[in-house]
Amino acid sequence: MSKGSNEPFFRRAYGRLVGQLATRAGTHHLAAIEDAVQVSMMRAVERWPRDGEPQNPEAWLYRVAHRELQGSLRRSARRQALLTEHAPPPEPDGGALLPLLSACCAEGQPERTRLVLALKLVCGFDVREIAQRLFMGEGAVRKRLERGRRALRAQGELGSFDAPSIRLMVYAIFAEGHLSHEAAVRAELCDEAIHLARTLVRTDGAPTSEALLALVLLHTARLPARRSETGALVLLEDQDRALYERAKIAEGLEALERSARGNAYTRYHAEAAVAAAHALSPSFEATPWQDVVNAYAHLERVSPSPLHRLNRALALAELGGAEAGLELLRDPPPSWLEGSYLWSLVLADLNRRAGHRQKAAYHRAQAVALAPEGPIRDAVRSRLSAV
C-alpha cells in the first residue's frame, strides 16, 4: 500500500495524531510532534506493503509516533518524563482533533494564516498542496505556517474546543473550495469541510453544528454538475440535476431536520435552506423562490452583507419580475461590490429583462471587463450571450 493509494486516511489521521500528541506533550513541542507523525507515516508506507496492514492502522501510527516523539524529547534533554512509557490507543474521532482546530482558530492571526495552519495541522495537506488549493506561492504558505506555529507554540497546551470558532473555520475551508471556479482540485476542500463538520456534530450535537453540516453537504452535492465535460462553469439554470449526489442530499436533509431542534435560526440554517431548495427542485423553474427570498432576507438580518441583498434580488426577480429585483438594488452597494463583476452581471441581467436596453448594455460591458480571466469570464460571456 502506498501513501498515495490511501491518501485520505493518512491525511485525516495526521490531524488526529498531531492533536493527541499535542494534548500530551504541549504545543511548544509542535515541531517535534509534526516530525514524529510524519516519521510514523513514512514507516507505514515502507512496512505495510511488506508485512500487511495492521488490524488498527491508526493505533499503529500513534504508537510509532509516540515512540519517535519520546526519543526526540529525550535526545533534546527536555522533559524526559513528559510521556508515559506505554502510549494509550487513539481517542475517538474528534477527541483531540477539535481542540487542535480550535487552537488554529485563535484570535490575533489573520484569517488566511488560520486557514493555512488548519489545512496543514488538522487536514494534513503539505505546503505544495496548500499552495495549489489556495492559489498562493509556496514561500507565502511557509511564512504563514511559521507565524501560525509560533503563536500555537506560545499557547503551551491545547484547551477545550470552542464550537463557534470551529464553525467559522469549517465554513472558511468550505467556502475556499465551493466559491472558487478556478480549479476542480479545490473540491477536496469541500470534502475536508464535510469531514470536520461531521466530527463536530458527533462531538457536540448542537443544532447550529447540524445546520453547518447540512449546508456543506447540500452545496457539495451539486458540485459534479457545476462543470461541463470541457471544464467550463455551468450556471445553476443549466445544470444537469441528474448529476447531483443523492446520498449527500439525503444526509444533508437529515442534518437540516435535526438542526430544527430548539429556537436558534442562524446564518447556517438560512444558507442550508437555500441549498436545500436548489438541491430538491427538479428544475430551475420549479425552485420555491419564495422560500429562497425569505432565507436571504433572514441572512441579511443575522449576517448583514450586500451579497445577500444581491442574491435576494435575483430570487425576487424570479418570483415577481425583474423590476422587483431592481427595486431592491436601487441603493448603491459598497465600493468593493460595485467594482465587482457580480454586481454588474446581475444589473445587466435584470435591466435586460426589464427592457432597459442601454443600462443593460453598459452593465454587460462592465461585467465582462471586471470578471477574472479564465472560467469565470467565460461563464459571464456565456451567460450574457445566452440571454
Side-chain angles (χ1 to χ4, degrees), residues 300 303-313 328-329 331-338 343:
E300 288 183 77
S303 181
S305 168
L307 285 174
H308 299 326
R309 179 159 58 103
L310 199 63
N311 283 318
R312 183 156 69 102
L328 190 62
L329 302 179
D331 295 332
S335 58
W336 63 266
L337 181 56
E338 195 168 21
W343 178 257

PDB file of all heavy atoms in Angstrom, residues 300 303-313 328-329 331-338 343:
ATOM      1  N   GLU A 300     -29.791  38.559   5.647  1.00  0.00           N
ATOM      2  CA  GLU A 300     -29.464  39.987   5.740  1.00  0.00           C
ATOM      3  C   GLU A 300     -29.625  40.511   7.155  1.00  0.00           C
ATOM      4  O   GLU A 300     -28.937  41.449   7.558  1.00  0.00           O
ATOM      5  CB  GLU A 300     -30.344  40.791   4.780  1.00  0.00           C
ATOM      6  CG  GLU A 300     -29.987  40.596   3.320  1.00  0.00           C
ATOM      7  CD  GLU A 300     -30.844  41.461   2.412  1.00  0.00           C
ATOM      8  OE1 GLU A 300     -30.585  42.673   2.328  1.00  0.00           O
ATOM      9  OE2 GLU A 300     -31.793  40.927   1.812  1.00  0.00           O
ATOM     10  N   SER A 303     -26.720  38.197   9.388  1.00  0.00           N
ATOM     11  CA  SER A 303     -25.341  38.295   8.906  1.00  0.00           C
ATOM     12  C   SER A 303     -25.308  39.294   7.753  1.00  0.00           C
ATOM     13  O   SER A 303     -25.179  38.921   6.583  1.00  0.00           O
ATOM     14  CB  SER A 303     -24.833  36.917   8.445  1.00  0.00           C
ATOM     15  OG  SER A 303     -23.503  36.983   7.989  1.00  0.00           O
ATOM     16  N   PRO A 304     -25.448  40.588   8.077  1.00  0.00           N
ATOM     17  CA  PRO A 304     -25.598  41.599   7.024  1.00  0.00           C
ATOM     18  C   PRO A 304     -24.469  41.556   6.001  1.00  0.00           C
ATOM     19  O   PRO A 304     -23.289  41.536   6.352  1.00  0.00           O
ATOM     20  CB  PRO A 304     -25.580  42.920   7.814  1.00  0.00           C
ATOM     21  CG  PRO A 304     -25.999  42.541   9.194  1.00  0.00           C
ATOM     22  CD  PRO A 304     -25.445  41.170   9.421  1.00  0.00           C
ATOM     23  N   SER A 305     -24.841  41.522   4.745  1.00  0.00           N
ATOM     24  CA  SER A 305     -23.875  41.554   3.650  1.00  0.00           C
ATOM     25  C   SER A 305     -24.610  41.976   2.386  1.00  0.00           C
ATOM     26  O   SER A 305     -25.700  41.460   2.102  1.00  0.00           O
ATOM     27  CB  SER A 305     -23.216  40.188   3.437  1.00  0.00           C
ATOM     28  OG  SER A 305     -22.499  40.166   2.217  1.00  0.00           O
ATOM     29  N   PRO A 306     -24.036  42.876   1.604  1.00  0.00           N
ATOM     30  CA  PRO A 306     -24.691  43.260   0.341  1.00  0.00           C
ATOM     31  C   PRO A 306     -24.785  42.095  -0.636  1.00  0.00           C
ATOM     32  O   PRO A 306     -25.616  42.118  -1.541  1.00  0.00           O
ATOM     33  CB  PRO A 306     -23.793  44.379  -0.195  1.00  0.00           C
ATOM     34  CG  PRO A 306     -22.498  44.223   0.518  1.00  0.00           C
ATOM     35  CD  PRO A 306     -22.814  43.652   1.853  1.00  0.00           C
ATOM     36  N   LEU A 307     -23.963  41.063  -0.450  1.00  0.00           N
ATOM     37  CA  LEU A 307     -24.075  39.889  -1.313  1.00  0.00           C
ATOM     38  C   LEU A 307     -25.400  39.167  -1.084  1.00  0.00           C
ATOM     39  O   LEU A 307     -25.987  38.614  -2.017  1.00  0.00           O
ATOM     40  CB  LEU A 307     -22.903  38.933  -1.067  1.00  0.00           C
ATOM     41  CG  LEU A 307     -21.564  39.371  -1.648  1.00  0.00           C
ATOM     42  CD1 LEU A 307     -20.467  38.408  -1.215  1.00  0.00           C
ATOM     43  CD2 LEU A 307     -21.622  39.450  -3.164  1.00  0.00           C
ATOM     44  N   HIS A 308     -25.888  39.176   0.166  1.00  0.00           N
ATOM     45  CA  HIS A 308     -27.182  38.566   0.443  1.00  0.00           C
ATOM     46  C   HIS A 308     -28.293  39.364  -0.247  1.00  0.00           C
ATOM     47  O   HIS A 308     -29.264  38.794  -0.761  1.00  0.00           O
ATOM     48  CB  HIS A 308     -27.439  38.492   1.943  1.00  0.00           C
ATOM     49  CG  HIS A 308     -26.438  37.668   2.687  1.00  0.00           C
ATOM     50  ND1 HIS A 308     -25.843  36.556   2.151  1.00  0.00           N
ATOM     51  CD2 HIS A 308     -25.908  37.802   3.942  1.00  0.00           C
ATOM     52  CE1 HIS A 308     -25.009  36.030   3.029  1.00  0.00           C
ATOM     53  NE2 HIS A 308     -25.033  36.762   4.107  1.00  0.00           N
ATOM     54  N   ARG A 309     -28.141  40.684  -0.253  1.00  0.00           N
ATOM     55  CA  ARG A 309     -29.137  41.516  -0.943  1.00  0.00           C
ATOM     56  C   ARG A 309     -29.117  41.244  -2.443  1.00  0.00           C
ATOM     57  O   ARG A 309     -30.167  41.177  -3.100  1.00  0.00           O
ATOM     58  CB  ARG A 309     -28.849  43.000  -0.656  1.00  0.00           C
ATOM     59  CG  ARG A 309     -29.810  43.964  -1.354  1.00  0.00           C
ATOM     60  CD  ARG A 309     -29.832  45.324  -0.685  1.00  0.00           C
ATOM     61  NE  ARG A 309     -28.523  45.956  -0.646  1.00  0.00           N
ATOM     62  CZ  ARG A 309     -28.149  46.942  -1.463  1.00  0.00           C
ATOM     63  NH1 ARG A 309     -28.986  47.396  -2.382  1.00  0.00           N
ATOM     64  NH2 ARG A 309     -26.965  47.482  -1.350  1.00  0.00           N
ATOM     65  N   LEU A 310     -27.937  41.056  -2.999  1.00  0.00           N
ATOM     66  CA  LEU A 310     -27.807  40.749  -4.414  1.00  0.00           C
ATOM     67  C   LEU A 310     -28.496  39.425  -4.751  1.00  0.00           C
ATOM     68  O   LEU A 310     -29.249  39.321  -5.729  1.00  0.00           O
ATOM     69  CB  LEU A 310     -26.321  40.684  -4.775  1.00  0.00           C
ATOM     70  CG  LEU A 310     -25.933  40.813  -6.251  1.00  0.00           C
ATOM     71  CD1 LEU A 310     -26.327  42.167  -6.795  1.00  0.00           C
ATOM     72  CD2 LEU A 310     -24.427  40.605  -6.403  1.00  0.00           C
ATOM     73  N   ASN A 311     -28.275  38.431  -3.920  1.00  0.00           N
ATOM     74  CA  ASN A 311     -28.907  37.132  -4.154  1.00  0.00           C
ATOM     75  C   ASN A 311     -30.425  37.204  -3.959  1.00  0.00           C
ATOM     76  O   ASN A 311     -31.187  36.551  -4.678  1.00  0.00           O
ATOM     77  CB  ASN A 311     -28.308  36.087  -3.209  1.00  0.00           C
ATOM     78  CG  ASN A 311     -26.941  35.614  -3.658  1.00  0.00           C
ATOM     79  OD1 ASN A 311     -26.723  35.377  -4.845  1.00  0.00           O
ATOM     80  ND2 ASN A 311     -26.010  35.474  -2.725  1.00  0.00           N
ATOM     81  N   ARG A 312     -30.853  38.001  -2.984  1.00  0.00           N
ATOM     82  CA  ARG A 312     -32.305  38.146  -2.774  1.00  0.00           C
ATOM     83  C   ARG A 312     -32.952  38.841  -3.967  1.00  0.00           C
ATOM     84  O   ARG A 312     -34.069  38.497  -4.368  1.00  0.00           O
ATOM     85  CB  ARG A 312     -32.589  38.922  -1.487  1.00  0.00           C
ATOM     86  CG  ARG A 312     -34.083  39.048  -1.176  1.00  0.00           C
ATOM     87  CD  ARG A 312     -34.341  39.276   0.295  1.00  0.00           C
ATOM     88  NE  ARG A 312     -33.893  40.576   0.763  1.00  0.00           N
ATOM     89  CZ  ARG A 312     -34.704  41.623   0.978  1.00  0.00           C
ATOM     90  NH1 ARG A 312     -36.013  41.503   0.768  1.00  0.00           N
ATOM     91  NH2 ARG A 312     -34.228  42.761   1.429  1.00  0.00           N
ATOM     92  N   ALA A 313     -32.228  39.807  -4.566  1.00  0.00           N
ATOM     93  CA  ALA A 313     -32.756  40.490  -5.749  1.00  0.00           C
ATOM     94  C   ALA A 313     -32.948  39.510  -6.908  1.00  0.00           C
ATOM     95  O   ALA A 313     -33.959  39.577  -7.622  1.00  0.00           O
ATOM     96  CB  ALA A 313     -31.816  41.616  -6.160  1.00  0.00           C
ATOM     97  N   LEU A 328     -34.916  46.443  -5.320  1.00  0.00           N
ATOM     98  CA  LEU A 328     -34.126  46.110  -4.140  1.00  0.00           C
ATOM     99  C   LEU A 328     -32.692  46.618  -4.264  1.00  0.00           C
ATOM    100  O   LEU A 328     -32.016  46.817  -3.260  1.00  0.00           O
ATOM    101  CB  LEU A 328     -34.120  44.590  -3.936  1.00  0.00           C
ATOM    102  CG  LEU A 328     -33.545  44.065  -2.625  1.00  0.00           C
ATOM    103  CD1 LEU A 328     -34.351  44.563  -1.431  1.00  0.00           C
ATOM    104  CD2 LEU A 328     -33.504  42.540  -2.623  1.00  0.00           C
ATOM    105  N   LEU A 329     -32.253  46.864  -5.496  1.00  0.00           N
ATOM    106  CA  LEU A 329     -30.867  47.282  -5.729  1.00  0.00           C
ATOM    107  C   LEU A 329     -30.744  48.767  -6.041  1.00  0.00           C
ATOM    108  O   LEU A 329     -29.724  49.206  -6.578  1.00  0.00           O
ATOM    109  CB  LEU A 329     -30.266  46.456  -6.884  1.00  0.00           C
ATOM    110  CG  LEU A 329     -30.261  44.938  -6.679  1.00  0.00           C
ATOM    111  CD1 LEU A 329     -29.660  44.236  -7.892  1.00  0.00           C
ATOM    112  CD2 LEU A 329     -29.484  44.553  -5.418  1.00  0.00           C
ATOM    113  N   ASP A 331     -30.408  51.302  -3.978  1.00  0.00           N
ATOM    114  CA  ASP A 331     -29.345  51.917  -3.191  1.00  0.00           C
ATOM    115  C   ASP A 331     -27.997  51.372  -3.649  1.00  0.00           C
ATOM    116  O   ASP A 331     -27.854  50.160  -3.884  1.00  0.00           O
ATOM    117  CB  ASP A 331     -29.529  51.628  -1.701  1.00  0.00           C
ATOM    118  CG  ASP A 331     -30.788  52.267  -1.152  1.00  0.00           C
ATOM    119  OD1 ASP A 331     -31.213  53.302  -1.712  1.00  0.00           O
ATOM    120  OD2 ASP A 331     -31.361  51.727  -0.186  1.00  0.00           O
ATOM    121  N   PRO A 332     -26.993  52.234  -3.780  1.00  0.00           N
ATOM    122  CA  PRO A 332     -25.687  51.761  -4.261  1.00  0.00           C
ATOM    123  C   PRO A 332     -25.021  50.830  -3.248  1.00  0.00           C
ATOM    124  O   PRO A 332     -25.205  50.978  -2.031  1.00  0.00           O
ATOM    125  CB  PRO A 332     -24.876  53.053  -4.429  1.00  0.00           C
ATOM    126  CG  PRO A 332     -25.543  54.035  -3.514  1.00  0.00           C
ATOM    127  CD  PRO A 332     -26.990  53.680  -3.509  1.00  0.00           C
ATOM    128  N   PRO A 333     -24.260  49.879  -3.733  1.00  0.00           N
ATOM    129  CA  PRO A 333     -23.555  48.949  -2.843  1.00  0.00           C
ATOM    130  C   PRO A 333     -22.255  49.566  -2.361  1.00  0.00           C
ATOM    131  O   PRO A 333     -21.858  50.640  -2.827  1.00  0.00           O
ATOM    132  CB  PRO A 333     -23.281  47.756  -3.761  1.00  0.00           C
ATOM    133  CG  PRO A 333     -23.021  48.411  -5.088  1.00  0.00           C
ATOM    134  CD  PRO A 333     -23.965  49.595  -5.144  1.00  0.00           C
ATOM    135  N   PRO A 334     -21.543  48.922  -1.439  1.00  0.00           N
ATOM    136  CA  PRO A 334     -20.209  49.396  -1.079  1.00  0.00           C
ATOM    137  C   PRO A 334     -19.283  49.346  -2.292  1.00  0.00           C
ATOM    138  O   PRO A 334     -19.520  48.597  -3.242  1.00  0.00           O
ATOM    139  CB  PRO A 334     -19.765  48.426   0.019  1.00  0.00           C
ATOM    140  CG  PRO A 334     -20.613  47.219  -0.165  1.00  0.00           C
ATOM    141  CD  PRO A 334     -21.923  47.708  -0.696  1.00  0.00           C
ATOM    142  N   SER A 335     -18.218  50.114  -2.251  1.00  0.00           N
ATOM    143  CA  SER A 335     -17.339  50.250  -3.417  1.00  0.00           C
ATOM    144  C   SER A 335     -16.745  48.914  -3.846  1.00  0.00           C
ATOM    145  O   SER A 335     -16.571  48.658  -5.041  1.00  0.00           O
ATOM    146  CB  SER A 335     -16.221  51.246  -3.117  1.00  0.00           C
ATOM    147  OG  SER A 335     -15.477  50.827  -1.977  1.00  0.00           O
ATOM    148  N   TRP A 336     -16.438  48.032  -2.872  1.00  0.00           N
ATOM    149  CA  TRP A 336     -15.820  46.769  -3.246  1.00  0.00           C
ATOM    150  C   TRP A 336     -16.755  45.897  -4.074  1.00  0.00           C
ATOM    151  O   TRP A 336     -16.317  45.147  -4.952  1.00  0.00           O
ATOM    152  CB  TRP A 336     -15.342  45.990  -2.016  1.00  0.00           C
ATOM    153  CG  TRP A 336     -16.431  45.571  -1.061  1.00  0.00           C
ATOM    154  CD1 TRP A 336     -16.848  46.242   0.055  1.00  0.00           C
ATOM    155  CD2 TRP A 336     -17.242  44.393  -1.140  1.00  0.00           C
ATOM    156  NE1 TRP A 336     -17.862  45.559   0.678  1.00  0.00           N
ATOM    157  CE2 TRP A 336     -18.132  44.417  -0.028  1.00  0.00           C
ATOM    158  CE3 TRP A 336     -17.308  43.325  -2.023  1.00  0.00           C
ATOM    159  CZ2 TRP A 336     -19.069  43.413   0.209  1.00  0.00           C
ATOM    160  CZ3 TRP A 336     -18.243  42.320  -1.786  1.00  0.00           C
ATOM    161  CH2 TRP A 336     -19.108  42.375  -0.682  1.00  0.00           C
ATOM    162  N   LEU A 337     -18.070  46.002  -3.826  1.00  0.00           N
ATOM    163  CA  LEU A 337     -19.016  45.211  -4.597  1.00  0.00           C
ATOM    164  C   LEU A 337     -19.361  45.903  -5.914  1.00  0.00           C
ATOM    165  O   LEU A 337     -19.538  45.241  -6.940  1.00  0.00           O
ATOM    166  CB  LEU A 337     -20.284  44.957  -3.785  1.00  0.00           C
ATOM    167  CG  LEU A 337     -21.366  44.111  -4.469  1.00  0.00           C
ATOM    168  CD1 LEU A 337     -20.810  42.768  -4.909  1.00  0.00           C
ATOM    169  CD2 LEU A 337     -22.568  43.912  -3.554  1.00  0.00           C
ATOM    170  N   GLU A 338     -19.430  47.230  -5.888  1.00  0.00           N
ATOM    171  CA  GLU A 338     -19.737  47.961  -7.112  1.00  0.00           C
ATOM    172  C   GLU A 338     -18.646  47.738  -8.152  1.00  0.00           C
ATOM    173  O   GLU A 338     -18.898  47.794  -9.356  1.00  0.00           O
ATOM    174  CB  GLU A 338     -19.899  49.453  -6.818  1.00  0.00           C
ATOM    175  CG  GLU A 338     -20.562  50.221  -7.951  1.00  0.00           C
ATOM    176  CD  GLU A 338     -20.981  51.615  -7.525  1.00  0.00           C
ATOM    177  OE1 GLU A 338     -20.439  52.121  -6.533  1.00  0.00           O
ATOM    178  OE2 GLU A 338     -21.861  52.189  -8.177  1.00  0.00           O
ATOM    179  N   TRP A 343     -21.865  42.344  -9.301  1.00  0.00           N
ATOM    180  CA  TRP A 343     -22.846  43.427  -9.272  1.00  0.00           C
ATOM    181  C   TRP A 343     -23.259  43.805 -10.697  1.00  0.00           C
ATOM    182  O   TRP A 343     -24.448  43.908 -11.008  1.00  0.00           O
ATOM    183  CB  TRP A 343     -22.244  44.627  -8.543  1.00  0.00           C
ATOM    184  CG  TRP A 343     -23.119  45.850  -8.480  1.00  0.00           C
ATOM    185  CD1 TRP A 343     -23.004  46.975  -9.242  1.00  0.00           C
ATOM    186  CD2 TRP A 343     -24.229  46.068  -7.605  1.00  0.00           C
ATOM    187  NE1 TRP A 343     -23.976  47.878  -8.893  1.00  0.00           N
ATOM    188  CE2 TRP A 343     -24.735  47.346  -7.890  1.00  0.00           C
ATOM    189  CE3 TRP A 343     -24.829  45.310  -6.609  1.00  0.00           C
ATOM    190  CZ2 TRP A 343     -25.819  47.893  -7.226  1.00  0.00           C
ATOM    191  CZ3 TRP A 343     -25.923  45.849  -5.940  1.00  0.00           C
ATOM    192  CH2 TRP A 343     -26.414  47.120  -6.246  1.00  0.00           C
TER     193      TRP A 343
END
